[in-house]
Amino acid sequence: MVDAAGGETVGRLVQSINKPHAATFFGSGKISELKSLCKARDADLAVFDEELTPAQGRNIERELCIRVIDRSELILDIFANRAKTHQAKLQVALAQLKYKLPRLKRMWTHLDRIKSAIGARGPGETQIESDRRLIRDKIKEYTEKLKQLTKIQERAIQQRKDFKVSLVGYTNAGKSTLMRRLTHDQDVYVADQLFATLDTLTRKLKIPNVGTCLLSDTVGFVDKLPHHLVSSFHATLSEAREADLLLHVVDCSDPLLVERVHTVERVLEELDCDNVPTLIVANKCDCEGAPVGLAELRSEVGDVLAISAATGEGCDDLLQAIQDDMSSQWETIELFIPYEEGALLNKIKLHSHVLKETVEEKGILFQLEIAPNIIDQWNLRHYQSTESL
Ligand SMILES: Nc1nc2c(ncn2[C@@H]2O[C@H](COP(=O)(O)OP(=O)(O)OP(=O)(O)O)[C@@H](O)[C@H]2O)c(=O)[nH]1
Ligand SMILES: [Mg+2]
């Protein structure tokens, strides 16, 4: 993950501990070992793959004499670098401010030293207070802005009449590649990097026999995603929350795929998306380790759809599954369409399952199954037969 932030890993130290040391996370022996390693490899930065408390960060930094960051800060940094749109930037900035607030003291430790030298509560203290106030004001402002954006976005999504499908999943699982494959849109950004996609992208997708749906590609999740970031991304993930169907894309060549699936499920729950019908799509079936992963996934979550977004294998079955899901939500309705509405007659036949067709003097009486969104879109209630079902 350090590479994703533009850094180069020069050394690694692992220790399994049941309970982290309250003051320095690792015990003093391990911290000395880490200090020597940092010196020997001339490291500029130490990254902890866990969240450190503000005090731990401060203490370790004092011991190592180099900058120390934790997993959350690293993830926030990657997100900050990738954010392109106003909304994504605002979301990351908000998460960074919330992260920073309890850690401000650490940034003022140099003033602490001066303070002790002159023996008084120096300017550092007041500066921290005013910085804290400034950050709190900004957090309030950004939260308000994001709330507005979320509202606008949710309203816009709810107004879309089409069936909505969202791609969700762990970062690098192949969501954007699948989006590209299904929509034939070469502009979808695909990359072998963490968090390649930060902004939701929505495209129309034709589904044979049942009309169009809206397919959205969303930001990928990761283990121990900073909590502030998850809450900030509420707006970006409106698409997933408002979806009629979620496609949970899993990289079945990933040895940690079962953990990844649970991570994604946990984040979806946090984002109130856990009530949306979900289909697990096992991607990267063309890869070497895929059969083992696929078997493991099946024993964990039951039957899944195996595909390869790269080669296209299984994608027709996926379209069929979307089609089945769309049509399972169809409504049975009886409509009387007069002959003068010839164009509508043809359109209806094309986008519904006609159960019964009775030719009458002035038009045709249909009993059919059709998507609720099409009924609204074409104002079909207007043609509903009085004896309708
Ligand atoms: N072999 C193989 N590679 C794939 C497949 N699907 C995607 N990839 C590769 O996996 C990497 C990640 O693909 P993306 O589509 O960017 O993944 P993503 O899920 O959108 O990732 P984020 O946007 O970071 O969440 C890229 O290098 C893709 O080329 C597949 O079916 N088979
Ligand atoms: Mg992507």
Side-chain angles (χ1 to χ4, degrees):
M1 208 185 281
V2 170
D3 327 344
E8 185 197 344
T9 311
V10 290
R12 212 180 288 262
L13 199 69
V14 184
Q15 188 182 35
S16 59
I17 35 177
N18 290 331
K19 199 168 166 272
H21 194 282
T24 49
F25 198 85
F26 285 153
S28 55
K30 207 68 184 175
I31 288 284
S32 315
E33 199 182 322
L34 181 59
K35 189 172 180 178
S36 313
L37 182 71
C38 289
K39 250 198 188 138
R41 305 278 167 92
D42 199 18
D44 306 306
L45 176 75
V47 183
F48 277 69
D49 193 16
E50 287 291 337
E51 183 152 335
L52 299 174
T53 64
Q56 283 168 340
R58 211 163 50 230
N59 295 336
I60 302 170
E61 209 157 65
R62 208 171 280 151
E63 290 286 332
L64 299 185
C65 302
I66 56 170
R67 195 160 137 61
V68 172
I69 64 170
D70 65 9
R71 186 181 169 90
S72 296
E73 201 174 353
L74 180 67
I75 293 175
L76 286 171
D77 191 74
I78 300 171
F79 269 76
N81 265 325
R82 302 254 201 276
K84 288 195 186 69
T85 62
H86 171 62
Q87 185 178 353
K89 283 183 182 156
L90 201 62
Q91 292 176 137
V92 179
L94 176 62
Q96 279 180 318
L97 287 172
K98 286 184 177 171
Y99 178 86
K100 218 184 240 174
L101 189 61
R103 291 170 173 80
L104 263 189
K105 200 169 166 197
R106 186 164 144 205
M107 294 158 198
W108 285 102
T109 41
H110 61 292
L111 284 177
D112 279 357
R113 269 175 229 136
I114 296 170
K115 184 182 75 184
S116 55
I118 57 174
R121 291 175 74 84
E125 202 62 31
T126 40
Q127 187 65 44
I128 289 179
E129 280 316 311
S130 77
D131 279 5
R132 275 200 187 123
R133 201 180 39 249
L134 223 86
I135 290 188
R136 277 198 202 101
D137 289 349
K138 276 229 164 81
I139 289 180
K140 220 166 154 190
E141 182 195 329
Y142 289 2
T143 307
E144 203 41 53
K145 275 189 188 164
L146 276 172
K147 232 189 229 163
Q148 297 293 340
L149 274 175
T150 312
K151 254 193 213 152
I152 295 171
Q153 227 154 334
E154 279 180 352
R155 216 173 296 137
I157 296 166
Q158 281 159 4
Q159 277 167 3
R160 289 184 200 150
K161 297 284 181 229
D162 289 292
F163 189 86
K164 296 175 278 282
V165 181
S166 275
L167 296 162
V168 291
Y170 208 81
T171 180
N172 214 43
K175 301 175 292 298
S176 302
T177 311
L178 182 57
M179 174 94 174
R180 224 189 220 203
R181 162 73 54 189
L182 296 177
T183 60
H184 307 288
D185 184 344
Q186 295 312 311
D187 290 340
V188 179
Y189 183 61
V190 168
D192 191 9
Q193 63 184 27
L194 301 176
F195 314 121
T197 307
L198 272 200
D199 293 296
T200 303
L201 182 80
T202 301
R203 291 279 181 270
K204 278 203 164 185
L205 172 64
K206 274 215 164 86
I207 304 292
N209 306 319
V210 289
T212 52
C213 73
L214 292 175
L215 184 67
S216 299
D217 184 17
T218 64
V219 57
F221 304 150
V222 71
D223 289 311
K224 294 178 257 170
L225 200 58
H227 184 74
H228 299 320
L229 200 58
V230 177
S231 56
S232 303
F233 269 75
H234 246 257
T236 299
L237 285 151
S238 306
E239 311 280 343
R241 228 175 3 260
E242 298 297 325
D244 297 296
L245 175 67
L246 293 182
L247 299 180
H248 176 170
V249 183
V250 181
D251 173 356
C252 62
S253 70
D254 183 343
L256 294 174
L257 93 174
V258 171
E259 280 103 309
R260 309 283 200 229
V261 167
H262 294 313
T263 298
V264 172
E265 285 173 346
R266 265 197 310 275
V267 181
L268 287 175
E269 210 172 301
E270 252 181 272
L271 290 163
D272 304 323
C273 301
D274 50 329
N275 289 326
V276 184
T278 306
L279 191 70
I280 296 200
V281 180
N283 188 34
K284 306 200 187 181
C285 267
D286 57 297
C287 289
E288 217 173 276
V292 178
L294 195 56
E296 206 184 331
L297 188 62
R298 286 196 162 128
S299 74
E300 183 72 17
V301 298
D303 199 27
V304 297
L305 209 92
I307 67 153
S308 164
T311 66
E313 188 188 334
C315 287
D316 285 342
D317 295 338
L318 177 59
L319 287 174
Q320 181 65 50
I322 299 175
Q323 182 187 330
D324 291 347
D325 202 85
M326 281 173 79
S327 54
S328 73
Q329 299 188 17
W330 282 13
E331 216 178 285
T332 306
I333 192 170
E334 203 161 278
L335 301 174
F336 180 76
I337 312 290
Y339 290 123
E340 58 260 33
E341 302 268 16
L344 185 62
L345 260 171
N346 290 336
K347 270 204 310 194
I348 287 176
K349 280 189 173 175
L350 218 62
H351 289 93
S352 69
H353 290 150
V354 177
L355 301 172
K356 200 171 157 202
E357 189 175 334
T358 316
V359 177
E360 295 191 352
E361 197 189 326
K362 291 192 173 153
I364 299 179
L365 183 67
F366 286 109
Q367 188 187 330
L368 43 81
E369 286 174 338
I370 193 161
N373 60 301
I374 295 190
I375 297 180
D376 292 339
Q377 217 166 312
W378 298 343
N379 215 1
L380 295 182
R381 304 246 178 242
H382 178 69
Y383 300 94
Q384 203 163 359
S385 156
T386 44
E387 294 155 40
S388 71
L389 296 173

